[in-house]
Amino acid sequence: MKRLSRSFFERPPQVVAEKLIGSILIHKTDRGLIAGKIVETEAYGDMNDLASHARFGKTARTKIMYGHPGILYIYKIYGIFSMANIICEARGKAGAVLLRSIEVTEGKDIAIKNLKKSRFAKANQFIATGPGKLALAFTINSNFNSLDLITSDTIYLVWGEKPSDIIRTNRIGVDYAKYCKDFPWRFYAKNNQFVSKK
DNA sequence: ACATGGATTCGCT
DNA sequence: GCGAATCCATGTT
């Protein structure tokens, strides 16, 4: 299993977001291994992207988006969910890819327990469909912020089979972003049941 | 120091 | 289609 390199992420987020579809995320937790195929992503840009946290430039929160490509950017939304992003672009330029949905292939039992421990008593086979559930399922929380996916031995990405058809469309939940809401920066595997929304 | 609202999800209407 | 859950960075006073 070949791991993704630093240079893989040292490119614009729109490129990385598309190429990440089909890759495998692996997390070796203390309760066991959780793994799955990335089936849905979104790209977020710099100051020119009104949907991106970096739209205000470099702040305490967003300085990480200007850092090392390949590290995690985790933030909390609505006081409830953690969002898992991977930093893109060379140092000094802001960019990130949001992991939206994963088809879990290993450690489903652990992932389901993780969901049931939180607010999802009725957790079913759709374990990591949508960014909030994805982080819960993979035991990813704010403590993982700035963790390096390239060098970590516990959480990392490996190459997987790329789906034959990838749909490119506009992003979810960014209606406030004026003209940027229509940027076609969301990618997902066609006909995959684990994609969060059609 | 305070007010605002969000890269979400589910359940009820 | 809409409200609740409920944290915290950001922008404003």
PDB file of all heavy atoms in Angstrom, chain A residues 12 19 28 42 45 73 80 84-85 112 131 137 158 181:
ATOM      1  N   PRO A  12      -3.264  22.974  -6.451  1.00  0.00           N
ATOM      2  CA  PRO A  12      -4.525  23.656  -6.138  1.00  0.00           C
ATOM      3  C   PRO A  12      -5.548  22.675  -5.564  1.00  0.00           C
ATOM      4  O   PRO A  12      -5.605  21.516  -5.996  1.00  0.00           O
ATOM      5  CB  PRO A  12      -4.991  24.195  -7.489  1.00  0.00           C
ATOM      6  CG  PRO A  12      -3.737  24.322  -8.289  1.00  0.00           C
ATOM      7  CD  PRO A  12      -2.842  23.205  -7.845  1.00  0.00           C
ATOM      8  N   LYS A  19      -8.570  14.275  -7.409  1.00  0.00           N
ATOM      9  CA  LYS A  19      -7.671  13.126  -7.407  1.00  0.00           C
ATOM     10  C   LYS A  19      -7.752  12.307  -6.120  1.00  0.00           C
ATOM     11  O   LYS A  19      -7.315  11.166  -6.075  1.00  0.00           O
ATOM     12  CB  LYS A  19      -6.228  13.595  -7.656  1.00  0.00           C
ATOM     13  CG  LYS A  19      -6.043  14.164  -9.050  1.00  0.00           C
ATOM     14  CD  LYS A  19      -4.604  14.295  -9.451  1.00  0.00           C
ATOM     15  CE  LYS A  19      -4.466  14.817 -10.888  1.00  0.00           C
ATOM     16  NZ  LYS A  19      -5.006  13.842 -11.880  1.00  0.00           N
ATOM     17  N   LYS A  28      -5.570   4.071  12.567  1.00  0.00           N
ATOM     18  CA  LYS A  28      -5.345   3.017  13.553  1.00  0.00           C
ATOM     19  C   LYS A  28      -5.667   3.569  14.928  1.00  0.00           C
ATOM     20  O   LYS A  28      -4.847   4.249  15.546  1.00  0.00           O
ATOM     21  CB  LYS A  28      -3.887   2.553  13.500  1.00  0.00           C
ATOM     22  CG  LYS A  28      -3.510   1.896  12.193  1.00  0.00           C
ATOM     23  CD  LYS A  28      -2.029   1.537  12.175  1.00  0.00           C
ATOM     24  CE  LYS A  28      -1.659   0.806  10.892  1.00  0.00           C
ATOM     25  NZ  LYS A  28      -0.182   0.656  10.749  1.00  0.00           N
ATOM     26  N   GLU A  42     -14.764  18.318  -1.335  1.00  0.00           N
ATOM     27  CA  GLU A  42     -14.972  19.686  -1.801  1.00  0.00           C
ATOM     28  C   GLU A  42     -13.679  20.467  -1.634  1.00  0.00           C
ATOM     29  O   GLU A  42     -12.945  20.260  -0.673  1.00  0.00           O
ATOM     30  CB  GLU A  42     -16.075  20.382  -0.993  1.00  0.00           C
ATOM     31  CG  GLU A  42     -17.481  20.014  -1.432  1.00  0.00           C
ATOM     32  CD  GLU A  42     -18.560  20.677  -0.582  1.00  0.00           C
ATOM     33  OE1 GLU A  42     -18.202  21.459   0.304  1.00  0.00           O
ATOM     34  OE2 GLU A  42     -19.732  20.401  -0.809  1.00  0.00           O
ATOM     35  N   GLY A  45     -10.718  27.540  -1.313  1.00  0.00           N
ATOM     36  CA  GLY A  45      -9.587  28.315  -1.801  1.00  0.00           C
ATOM     37  C   GLY A  45      -9.072  29.373  -0.845  1.00  0.00           C
ATOM     38  O   GLY A  45      -9.151  29.231   0.375  1.00  0.00           O
ATOM     39  N   TYR A  73      -6.702  19.973   8.862  1.00  0.00           N
ATOM     40  CA  TYR A  73      -7.317  21.179   9.421  1.00  0.00           C
ATOM     41  C   TYR A  73      -8.690  20.754   9.920  1.00  0.00           C
ATOM     42  O   TYR A  73      -9.553  20.398   9.129  1.00  0.00           O
ATOM     43  CB  TYR A  73      -7.420  22.270   8.352  1.00  0.00           C
ATOM     44  CG  TYR A  73      -8.340  23.426   8.711  1.00  0.00           C
ATOM     45  CD1 TYR A  73      -8.383  23.936  10.006  1.00  0.00           C
ATOM     46  CD2 TYR A  73      -9.148  24.020   7.741  1.00  0.00           C
ATOM     47  CE1 TYR A  73      -9.222  24.991  10.324  1.00  0.00           C
ATOM     48  CE2 TYR A  73      -9.989  25.078   8.054  1.00  0.00           C
ATOM     49  CZ  TYR A  73     -10.023  25.556   9.347  1.00  0.00           C
ATOM     50  OH  TYR A  73     -10.867  26.600   9.660  1.00  0.00           O
ATOM     51  N   ILE A  80     -21.214  21.337  17.199  1.00  0.00           N
ATOM     52  CA  ILE A  80     -21.496  19.912  17.308  1.00  0.00           C
ATOM     53  C   ILE A  80     -20.514  19.041  16.534  1.00  0.00           C
ATOM     54  O   ILE A  80     -19.960  18.096  17.080  1.00  0.00           O
ATOM     55  CB  ILE A  80     -22.909  19.606  16.776  1.00  0.00           C
ATOM     56  CG1 ILE A  80     -23.941  20.446  17.516  1.00  0.00           C
ATOM     57  CG2 ILE A  80     -23.209  18.135  16.919  1.00  0.00           C
ATOM     58  CD1 ILE A  80     -25.314  20.297  16.934  1.00  0.00           C
ATOM     59  N   ALA A  84     -13.300  17.514   8.748  1.00  0.00           N
ATOM     60  CA  ALA A  84     -11.931  17.088   8.446  1.00  0.00           C
ATOM     61  C   ALA A  84     -11.505  17.598   7.081  1.00  0.00           C
ATOM     62  O   ALA A  84     -12.096  17.256   6.061  1.00  0.00           O
ATOM     63  CB  ALA A  84     -11.838  15.566   8.502  1.00  0.00           C
ATOM     64  N   ASN A  85     -10.481  18.453   7.077  1.00  0.00           N
ATOM     65  CA  ASN A  85      -9.924  19.001   5.837  1.00  0.00           C
ATOM     66  C   ASN A  85      -8.459  18.651   5.737  1.00  0.00           C
ATOM     67  O   ASN A  85      -7.791  18.439   6.747  1.00  0.00           O
ATOM     68  CB  ASN A  85     -10.011  20.527   5.828  1.00  0.00           C
ATOM     69  CG  ASN A  85     -11.422  21.050   6.002  1.00  0.00           C
ATOM     70  OD1 ASN A  85     -12.056  21.483   5.050  1.00  0.00           O
ATOM     71  ND2 ASN A  85     -11.917  21.019   7.220  1.00  0.00           N
ATOM     72  N   ILE A 112     -19.617   2.436  13.876  1.00  0.00           N
ATOM     73  CA  ILE A 112     -21.026   2.493  14.288  1.00  0.00           C
ATOM     74  C   ILE A 112     -21.138   2.796  15.786  1.00  0.00           C
ATOM     75  O   ILE A 112     -21.979   3.587  16.210  1.00  0.00           O
ATOM     76  CB  ILE A 112     -21.748   1.173  13.928  1.00  0.00           C
ATOM     77  CG1 ILE A 112     -21.948   1.098  12.417  1.00  0.00           C
ATOM     78  CG2 ILE A 112     -23.097   1.080  14.637  1.00  0.00           C
ATOM     79  CD1 ILE A 112     -22.529  -0.212  11.913  1.00  0.00           C
ATOM     80  N   PRO A 131     -19.840  15.101   6.064  1.00  0.00           N
ATOM     81  CA  PRO A 131     -18.612  15.424   6.791  1.00  0.00           C
ATOM     82  C   PRO A 131     -18.718  15.285   8.309  1.00  0.00           C
ATOM     83  O   PRO A 131     -17.748  14.881   8.963  1.00  0.00           O
ATOM     84  CB  PRO A 131     -18.332  16.871   6.387  1.00  0.00           C
ATOM     85  CG  PRO A 131     -19.653  17.404   5.902  1.00  0.00           C
ATOM     86  CD  PRO A 131     -20.356  16.235   5.297  1.00  0.00           C
ATOM     87  N   ALA A 137     -17.277   8.906  12.760  1.00  0.00           N
ATOM     88  CA  ALA A 137     -17.004   7.505  12.456  1.00  0.00           C
ATOM     89  C   ALA A 137     -15.515   7.187  12.576  1.00  0.00           C
ATOM     90  O   ALA A 137     -15.124   6.169  13.139  1.00  0.00           O
ATOM     91  CB  ALA A 137     -17.496   7.166  11.048  1.00  0.00           C
ATOM     92  N   VAL A 158      -3.629   6.197   1.530  1.00  0.00           N
ATOM     93  CA  VAL A 158      -2.917   5.371   0.550  1.00  0.00           C
ATOM     94  C   VAL A 158      -3.672   5.396  -0.776  1.00  0.00           C
ATOM     95  O   VAL A 158      -4.874   5.687  -0.821  1.00  0.00           O
ATOM     96  CB  VAL A 158      -2.746   3.908   1.036  1.00  0.00           C
ATOM     97  CG1 VAL A 158      -1.947   3.859   2.329  1.00  0.00           C
ATOM     98  CG2 VAL A 158      -4.089   3.233   1.197  1.00  0.00           C
ATOM     99  N   LYS A 181     -20.722  30.517  -4.615  1.00  0.00           N
ATOM    100  CA  LYS A 181     -21.499  29.317  -4.271  1.00  0.00           C
ATOM    101  C   LYS A 181     -21.702  28.416  -5.487  1.00  0.00           C
ATOM    102  O   LYS A 181     -22.018  27.242  -5.336  1.00  0.00           O
ATOM    103  CB  LYS A 181     -22.833  29.705  -3.643  1.00  0.00           C
ATOM    104  CG  LYS A 181     -23.877  30.238  -4.609  1.00  0.00           C
ATOM    105  CD  LYS A 181     -25.116  30.659  -3.851  1.00  0.00           C
ATOM    106  CE  LYS A 181     -26.123  31.369  -4.736  1.00  0.00           C
ATOM    107  NZ  LYS A 181     -26.692  30.508  -5.777  1.00  0.00           N
TER     108      LYS A 181
END
